[in-house]
Amino acid sequence: MPARTATPMGHAPTQQPAPFHEDPPRTPPPPLPGKRRGDDGRPPRGARPRRKRHWFRWILSLLVVLLVLPIAAAIYVDTHLTRIDALADYSGRVGDTPGTNWLLVGSDSRAGLSQAQEDELSTGSDVEGERTDTVILVHIPKSGRPTLVSLPRDSYVNIPGVGKDKLNAAFSVGGAKLLARTVEGATGVHIDHYVQIGFGGFANIVDAVGGIDMCLDEPMKDPLAGIDLPAGCQTLSGPNALGFVRSRATPRADLDRMLNQRKFLSALLKKASSPATLANPFRSWPLVRDLTSALKVDDGAHIWNLAGLGNALSSDPITTTVPVGGFENVSGSGNVLLWDKTKASAFFDALAKDQQIPADLITTVGS
């Protein structure tokens, strides 16, 4: 066997070093649409949008509502008022006198009442035409306390075109226009505005504010007015309130009725303007609605005029009755009320001049 030839040991071939290059970083695959994931597979916390606090917006919205609602209510009332031609000019009319004078009239008109409503309110359905149960002259001075003057409906005065008769007859014959003219002629006071309310409207307004609290010194029972009220403090509903201000079943008849009307008017205005009423939409909205449908005003009256009247009536006014001279039976007119000519002349002269009425001329019955 031939011997193997030994290969001589030698060096490995020389190698040329190659330059070092880092591998480019791997680009991660793009996330799936709509998803961002962290290391744990859940959306990272930083990706969640923060909830914004909207309390400032809520407060701002509330303030806007509180500002807009009264304005909207005022616009509604002003555009829905029933306006009538009550204060037309005529030859020899009393010139404008200082202050603002309102003529407030409570009408016994049955217009708009059903037979059931007439029965509930005890108005009677056999009355034709329209009469007035309440006539009040309100003087709002440039400064000082307002004055409410009750003018008895049986006052014996001169009615233009008719002659001497009860004040109530002026309204029956010629409505608001003749009544206002008669009052201006009898008092010498220029009437700036007129407002009238009827039976049904009055009762609805009382019910809208939740009734009126009144305190009676003596029981009051009057079938003609539909009331049987006990003595003491009580809440009067619409029908009972209407009977209370209409009733003459008292010792001083019409004079007591005028006192009750002024007391009740003051209580009604305070209740209607109270925060408890205005802040309660279940009372404030029916009040606005019923007030609008119940009132008749002169052509020049607006909501801001009525607001001034309401403020005057609820700001501790002086309440009085025209100075009374006595009573007399007159053929064709029945029993009439006579004014004290001397005192009444001085009384209305002070009112027309926007002066303070002397204390001895203020004849508030029952106070």
Side-chain angles (χ1 to χ4, degrees):
M1 182 175 182
R4 294 178 178 177
T5 303
T7 302
M9 297 293 296
H11 295 283
T14 302
Q15 298 179 359
Q16 296 295 328
F20 176 76
H21 296 285
E22 292 185 357
D23 293 334
R26 293 183 179 180
T27 303
L32 295 176
K35 294 183 179 180
R36 293 183 60 188
R37 295 192 167 276
D39 296 338
D40 56 359
R42 294 179 300 179
R45 293 183 179 181
R48 294 179 180 177
R50 293 183 179 180
R51 294 182 178 179
K52 297 182 180 180
R53 296 180 179 180
H54 300 292
W55 57 268
F56 179 76
R57 293 182 183 178
W58 284 109
I59 293 177
L60 182 61
S61 300
L62 179 60
L63 291 176
V64 170
V65 170
L66 293 176
L67 290 175
V68 169
L69 282 180
I71 297 175
I75 294 175
Y76 177 88
V77 172
D78 195 61
T79 55
H80 286 74
L81 284 173
T82 301
R83 293 181 169 87
I84 59 176
D85 184 17
L87 302 175
D89 286 328
Y90 54 88
S91 177
R93 185 184 182 187
V94 178
D96 193 16
T97 52
T100 303
N101 300 301
W102 283 81
L103 189 62
L104 273 62
V105 175
S107 165
D108 68 355
S109 171
R110 278 78 171 160
L113 294 180
S114 65
Q115 184 61 52
Q117 290 174 317
E118 289 183 359
D119 294 339
E120 180 186 7
L121 299 177
S122 300
T123 64
S125 57
D126 58 344
V127 178
E128 297 181 358
E130 190 173 14
R131 299 181 304 178
T132 175
D133 276 351
T134 306
V135 181
I136 298 177
L137 176 62
V138 181
H139 175 70
I140 305 175
K142 292 183 177 179
S143 63
R145 295 170 62 190
T147 302
L148 274 67
V149 186
S150 292
L151 305 177
R153 69 173 191 172
D154 292 339
S155 298
Y156 197 53
V157 295
N158 183 56
I159 302 175
V162 176
K164 297 278 287 188
D165 205 341
K166 292 181 179 180
L167 180 62
N168 187 43
F171 191 73
S172 300
V173 173
K177 186 181 295 186
L178 184 58
L179 177 64
R181 181 174 178 178
T182 300
V183 170
E184 287 184 333
T187 64
V189 175
H190 182 91
I191 305 299
D192 298 294
H193 291 295
Y194 175 93
V195 60
Q196 175 185 322
I197 185 170
F199 273 161
F202 180 90
N204 290 339
I205 290 173
V206 172
D207 286 335
V209 298
I212 300 298
D213 296 330
M214 292 296 295
C215 294
L216 279 63
D217 296 330
E218 301 290 339
M220 181 180 290
K221 184 175 182 179
D222 186 352
L224 294 177
I227 56 171
D228 186 1
L229 305 176
C233 296
Q234 55 204 286
T235 300
L236 300 183
S237 64
N240 281 336
L242 180 59
F244 175 74
V245 299
R246 289 180 57 217
S247 177
R248 293 194 287 179
T250 59
R252 289 172 295 194
D254 214 30
L255 298 180
D256 281 334
R257 182 171 70 165
M258 289 187 298
L259 174 63
N260 291 337
Q261 289 170 350
R262 292 196 302 264
K263 289 168 57 177
F264 192 87
L265 179 61
S266 176
L268 175 60
L269 287 168
K270 288 182 180 179
K271 182 74 175 287
S273 60
S274 67
T277 298
L278 298 178
N280 185 348
F282 297 102
R283 286 188 177 179
S284 57
W285 172 244
L287 175 63
V288 170
R289 181 195 60 209
D290 293 333
L291 187 66
T292 303
S293 61
L295 295 182
K296 292 182 180 180
V297 298
D298 64 275
D299 289 330
H302 291 279
I303 182 62
W304 49 88
N305 303 120
L306 290 171
L309 173 64
N311 181 65
L313 294 177
S314 60
S315 58
D316 190 28
I318 298 170
T319 58
T320 182
T321 303
V322 58
V324 176
F327 297 87
E328 183 178 315
N329 290 320
V330 177
S331 177
S333 298
N335 188 260
V336 301
L337 182 145
L338 304 176
W339 294 1
D340 184 314
K341 293 183 179 180
T342 303
K343 291 184 177 180
S345 178
F347 179 95
F348 289 117
D349 184 62
L351 212 61
K353 295 178 179 178
D354 201 25
Q355 297 175 349
Q356 184 174 358
I357 300 173
D360 62 330
L361 298 180
I362 297 177
T363 55
T364 302
V365 178
S367 62

